[in-house]
Amino acid sequence: MFRTDSKNLRAYGLAMALAVAGAVGFTPATPAFAQSAPQPRSLPDFSELVDQVSPAVVNIRTTERARSSAAGLGGGQMDEEMQEFFRRFFGVPMPNTPRQQQRPAPREEEREGPRGVGSGFILTADGYVMTNAHVVEGAEEVIVTLADKREFKARTIGADKRTDVAVVKIDATGLPAVRVGDIRRLKVGEWVMAIGSPFGLENTVTAGIVSALGRDTGDYLPFIQTDVAINPGNSGGPLINMRGEVVGINSQIYSRSGGFMGISFAIPIDEATRVAEQLRVSGRVQRGRIGVQIDQVTRDVAESIGLGRAQGALVRSVESGSPAEKAGIEAGDIITRFNGQAIDRATELPRLVGNTKPGSRVNMTVFRRGGQRELPVTVAELEDRTAAATPRRGPAQQSEQARATSPAAATLGLAVSELTEAQKREAKVKGGVRVDTVSEAAQRAGIREGDIIVAIGNTEVGNAREFEAAIARVDRSKAVPILVRRGEMASYLLIRPARG
């Protein structure tokens, strides 16, 4: 039953008023915010891009020499691998293995076996194909299948593990080739598309957006991060923008299961083509090196030493006899520019040095003790093999020198002693003091017994007397930056003195 209280009467009256207004043609005013609301955009149609680019995308299959037993032992390949593991590392058969499977393995013979499936794309009409290095690594045979189902045996021109770029060649002409895009025009949020062979399913198209640029996951590559569905088998395929241009090579995924989880990484095409050109010309990639180990510069350290903002690469150690040592670089220096290019993050330095032609003489800008210095360096070539690491020297043994234990040093929680000439040579320092005991503020900062202090703030410390003088000038209201050598590594540690 309809209730005739005042609330219902008001509602009834409003409804009648609106009905009358509609009958006489009255249209309520549209709110201003509704007039200015942006029109919804339709999702992009990738069909034309697929028709345009897919003929240049290829499937890559590889085979390798596989070992098989002349007589079966029973059980699967995993059982055989586990038996070998227990035999090699524990000297005993795998537990719960039947006695007949514990006898010595029979004679093995080699055979051609399938290895994996990947993707690639045609760079030139005469048959040069780009893919990932890990797709063709260790392959005895590389088979390239075109979009029109033609198959070719390919030869590997070159592969570079550091960038995961490889170039293979097939004997064919008049092939459809991709167009290379300008990576500088790529923006976060832009739509991109991938074509490849995930799980061996050829000519599979997936799409998404660019999630981030310049993602530092490797020494030499700032990756493109996307949410395009990339799975095993997509490796080596192209990442394509809405203009139909290749902007990257799909290379890595972040996954806990081996499948797509929404985070994929692609090699920027400008980096890849630079590598590919060297591979085509000489079959290998030349990279520069200067011989330093580096670390990030934190904001606290930058502010405390007068650098301003966190920038550059902190030199933690200098390789003996390296171009950096010959140029005068010291542990604790901060390299802020290389060959005229500013270094905002430490990870940029290896790429700049690596892309410099060996033998080139370039200038570096170094921040040291509160000032900038220009140091010329002649870049050497980075060897393909991993160079043997220089063994680290342990902290110098404590000598019988008197310790510096003034009230100022005690404020920082330090007691130090002079270095002997032998200790200086061993630690490769021109001066400094050895930390004998650590407590309170210094201990909280991470300073350890045996460390060598070479500078306080921007003041070099050559001996105990200079150490005491520098400590006496410390502003106890601020964090004190201490440049410490530990073995052959240098670090800035911030001591926050207790206020008296």
Side-chain angles (χ1 to χ4, degrees):
M1 180 179 294
F2 182 73
R3 297 175 58 186
T4 58
D5 55 23
S6 60
K7 183 176 182 181
N8 283 330
L9 286 174
R10 285 195 299 270
Y12 178 77
L14 178 61
M16 293 298 295
L18 290 174
V20 172
V24 300
F26 174 77
T27 302
T30 303
F33 69 87
Q35 295 177 350
S36 61
Q39 295 298 317
R41 297 182 180 181
S42 59
L43 293 175
D45 182 354
F46 294 94
S47 57
E48 291 186 7
L49 292 180
V50 174
D51 292 340
Q52 177 184 341
V53 181
S54 60
V57 181
V58 303
N59 171 271
I60 297 178
R61 302 195 319 275
T62 59
T63 61
E64 66 179 358
R65 293 286 179 183
R67 292 183 178 271
S68 61
S69 301
L73 288 176
Q77 180 183 0
M78 184 60 69
D79 289 340
E80 295 175 8
E81 292 177 354
M82 289 302 296
Q83 290 172 30
E84 180 67 6
F85 174 84
F86 273 84
R87 184 184 67 79
R88 287 192 178 187
F89 291 92
F90 297 99
V92 297
M94 185 173 66
N96 301 322
T97 303
R99 185 172 299 275
Q100 64 269 24
Q101 292 188 21
Q102 297 178 12
R103 65 180 182 270
R107 175 179 57 84
E108 293 183 339
E109 60 184 16
E110 290 188 345
R111 61 179 175 82
E112 289 284 349
R115 179 176 178 270
V117 178
S119 306
F121 51 94
I122 301 171
L123 282 176
T124 62
D126 58 348
Y128 283 96
V129 175
M130 183 181 289
T131 185
N132 283 147
H134 75 261
V135 170
V136 298
E137 181 181 6
E140 291 290 329
E141 188 177 63
V142 179
I143 300 171
V144 173
T145 304
L146 305 186
D148 59 11
K149 304 304 180 184
R150 286 185 293 166
E151 287 192 353
F152 297 87
K153 286 187 177 180
R155 67 180 187 276
T156 301
I157 301 300
D160 181 55
K161 290 184 180 180
R162 292 182 183 273
T163 54
D164 198 23
V165 173
V167 176
V168 302
K169 177 72 166 63
I170 61 176
D171 293 327
T173 57
L175 298 175
V178 299
R179 289 189 297 118
V180 174
D182 184 355
I183 195 69
R184 294 171 298 181
R185 299 176 63 184
L186 193 64
K187 297 179 180 179
V188 174
E190 180 177 337
W191 282 97
V192 283
M193 178 183 74
I195 305 179
S197 304
F199 304 110
L201 302 172
E202 299 179 16
N203 300 320
T204 296
V205 179
T206 54
I209 63 169
V210 176
S211 304
L213 296 173
R215 201 57 101 188
D216 289 314
T217 63
D219 289 340
Y220 290 95
L221 288 176
F223 283 93
I224 304 167
Q225 180 186 330
T226 76
D227 69 348
V228 179
I230 302 296
N231 286 290
N234 273 116
S235 293
L239 185 70
I240 303 156
N241 64 19
M242 294 302 292
R243 292 179 290 277
E245 303 164 334
V246 176
V247 292
I249 309 175
N250 298 311
S251 176
Q252 299 179 15
I253 60 175
Y254 172 81
S255 177
R256 295 178 179 176
S257 63
F260 173 66
M261 293 190 70
I263 298 179
S264 310
F265 298 101
I267 303 165
I269 195 61
D270 58 341
E271 301 278 352
T273 51
R274 186 183 301 115
V275 170
E277 186 61 30
Q278 291 194 56
L279 292 176
R280 289 175 60 184
V281 172
S282 61
R284 59 186 291 266
V285 178
Q286 282 189 316
R287 288 192 177 86
R289 61 176 291 272
I290 59 175
V292 293
Q293 290 191 38
I294 59 174
D295 203 352
Q296 295 284 0
V297 179
T298 66
R299 185 184 65 179
D300 288 344
V301 167
E303 292 176 351
S304 65
I305 62 177
L307 183 60
R309 63 185 182 89
Q311 62 176 313
L314 171 63
V315 177
R316 298 204 61 198
S317 69
V318 181
E319 182 184 326
S320 179
S322 66
E325 185 183 60
K326 295 175 183 177
I329 296 291
E330 299 177 2
D333 286 348
I334 298 174
I335 301 175
T336 57
R337 298 183 72 86
F338 182 87
N339 199 17
Q341 298 189 53
I343 300 170
D344 288 326
R345 294 176 292 181
T347 51
E348 296 174 0
L349 181 62
R351 291 197 289 270
L352 292 174
V353 175
N355 291 334
T356 303
K357 184 178 180 180
S360 302
R361 186 175 175 85
V362 301
N363 285 328
M364 291 185 298
T365 303
V366 170
F367 182 87
R368 181 191 299 170
R369 311 295 181 264
Q372 303 279 357
R373 304 186 184 197
E374 293 290 327
L375 299 177
V377 61
T378 301
V379 178
E381 182 176 356
L382 179 68
E383 298 179 2
D384 290 335
R385 62 181 178 84
T386 302
T390 305
R392 292 187 183 181
R393 294 179 174 86
Q397 297 299 315
Q398 184 174 352
S399 62
E400 296 300 323
Q401 271 74 16
R403 296 178 177 179
T405 55
S406 67
T411 300
L412 301 184
L414 289 171
V416 302
S417 61
E418 295 271 5
L419 292 175
T420 66
E421 291 302 319
Q423 289 171 334
K424 292 177 185 178
R425 288 194 299 269
E426 183 182 8
K428 295 183 178 179
V429 295
K430 294 181 293 185
V433 292
R434 182 188 186 277
V435 176
D436 294 331
T437 60
V438 185
S439 63
E440 299 177 350
Q443 193 172 42
R444 291 194 299 270
I447 295 179
R448 302 177 189 171
E449 182 179 338
D451 287 348
I452 296 175
I453 297 175
V454 294
I456 297 176
N458 291 318
T459 303
E460 290 190 6
V461 171
N463 50 45
R465 180 177 54 81
E466 294 179 1
F467 172 81
E468 288 296 327
I471 288 293
R473 294 192 296 269
V474 164
D475 183 351
R476 295 175 59 185
S477 67
K478 298 179 180 178
V480 181
I482 307 290
L483 181 57
V484 170
R485 285 287 297 271
R486 183 174 297 160
E488 291 193 348
M489 307 298 285
S491 297
Y492 273 102
L493 300 176
L494 297 180
I495 299 181
R496 291 175 169 82
R499 297 184 181 182

